[in-house]
């Protein structure tokens, strides 16, 4: 059974940085595309980064140039480096498998104060 566990969230001031981690188990991690999503209160869940099995990445304009997704297949872990954080980045961040029926983590809260 797939299990994804996010960590690294917290409270940071605007302009600061955080690095989220997502440890995967129960899946063949290296062949799965992975993604990070976020959901702010009262808003729909939003895709913020994807990475293919071969390492190709993609981002929406809202985070492009500030967020970087990466993966370490030796550790079955996907990361999200978030720089130049803004208050509007405040949300619960989730990792998930991408491209098929998703497996979701439990989420980690990121709060950016102004």
């Amino acid at each position: 059974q797939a299990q994804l566990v996010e960590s690294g969230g917290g409270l940071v001031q605007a302009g600061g940085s955080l690095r989220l981690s997502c440890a995967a188990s129960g899946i063949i991690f290296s062949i799965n595309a992975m993604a990070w999503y976020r959901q702010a209160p009262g808003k729909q869940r939003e895709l913020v980064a994807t990475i293919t099995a071969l390492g190709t990445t993609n981002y929406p304009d809202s985070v492009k140039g500030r967020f970087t997704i990466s993966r370490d297949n030796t550790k079955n872990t996907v990361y999200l480096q978030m720089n130049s954080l803004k208050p509007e980045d405040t949300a619960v961040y989730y990792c998930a498998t991408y491209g098929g029926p998703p497996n979701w983590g439990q989420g980690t809260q990121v709060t950016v104060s102004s």
Side-chain angles (χ1 to χ4, degrees):
Q1 184 174 353
Q3 185 174 17
L4 302 174
V5 179
E6 300 97 335
S7 61
L11 173 64
V12 64
Q13 288 189 331
S17 299
L18 281 174
R19 188 194 195 204
L20 306 183
S21 300
C22 172
S25 60
I27 61 172
I28 306 174
F29 180 78
S30 61
I31 67 171
N32 274 273
M34 300 295 297
W36 285 95
Y37 296 78
R38 66 186 179 189
Q39 188 165 21
K43 295 188 176 181
Q44 289 189 331
R45 193 168 292 189
E46 174 190 15
L47 179 66
V48 296
T50 62
I51 186 166
T52 68
L54 295 180
T56 301
T57 59
N58 199 22
Y59 309 92
D61 289 343
S62 58
V63 306
K64 193 174 293 182
R66 300 189 298 122
F67 289 13
T68 303
I69 188 171
S70 61
R71 64 191 299 156
D72 185 340
N73 289 342
T74 67
K75 297 181 179 179
N76 286 1
T77 300
V78 60
Y79 304 97
L80 186 67
Q81 177 68 44
M82 304 185 294
N83 299 328
S84 302
L85 283 162
K86 305 175 182 180
E88 51 263 43
D89 295 319
T90 295
V92 178
Y93 283 72
Y94 300 88
C95 72
T97 54
Y98 186 74
N103 296 291
W104 295 97
Q106 83 289 347
T108 186
Q109 176 70 47
V110 171
T111 303
V112 184
S113 62
S114 57

